[in-house]
Amino acid sequence: MAFKKIKLLKLTKDLEIVATFDDDVTKTFDARLLFEKNPAFKQLENVDLFTSGKIGPNGHAIVWNDELDLAAESIYYDGK
């Protein structure tokens, strides 16, 4: 599995992540799927926090704060 890099990111008020990767593939990922996998992600129910996320260093993750980040591969392989 090759490392994926996010080059464009849109975070919607509906808690959807829309990411375009360096291979020009765009994926949409429902962030609510994360809430059951890891309770820490429930913080992202706060729309202001969710929409404040940024592309992390080198494009390999989305970063919200010191506690929350999501690997680009998760979005790429689990998104639609």
Side-chain angles (χ1 to χ4, degrees), residues 1-24:
M1 173 169 73
F3 287 107
K4 299 297 178 186
K5 280 179 95 168
I6 299 169
K7 67 177 186 178
L8 294 171
L9 177 65
K10 179 180 177 188
L11 302 171
T12 74
K13 293 182 191 278
D14 295 327
L15 302 181
E16 286 189 334
I17 299 167
V18 181
T20 302
F21 294 85
D22 57 349
D23 60 1
D24 291 322

Side-chain angles (χ1 to χ4, degrees), residues 17-69:
I17 299 167
V18 181
T20 302
F21 294 85
D22 57 349
D23 60 1
D24 291 322
V25 171
T26 298
K27 297 280 187 153
T28 301
F29 182 87
D30 184 345
R32 291 174 284 227
L33 298 173
L34 300 169
F35 300 167
E36 290 180 18
K37 291 181 181 182
N38 184 339
F41 281 109
K42 285 195 71 75
Q43 295 175 60
L44 297 179
E45 288 178 313
N46 176 327
V47 174
D48 290 334
L49 175 60
F50 179 74
T51 57
S52 74
K54 304 282 186 235
I55 298 172
N58 301 315
H60 295 293
I62 299 172
V63 177
W64 284 277
N65 58 32
D66 290 341
E67 299 171 14
L68 293 174
D69 59 44

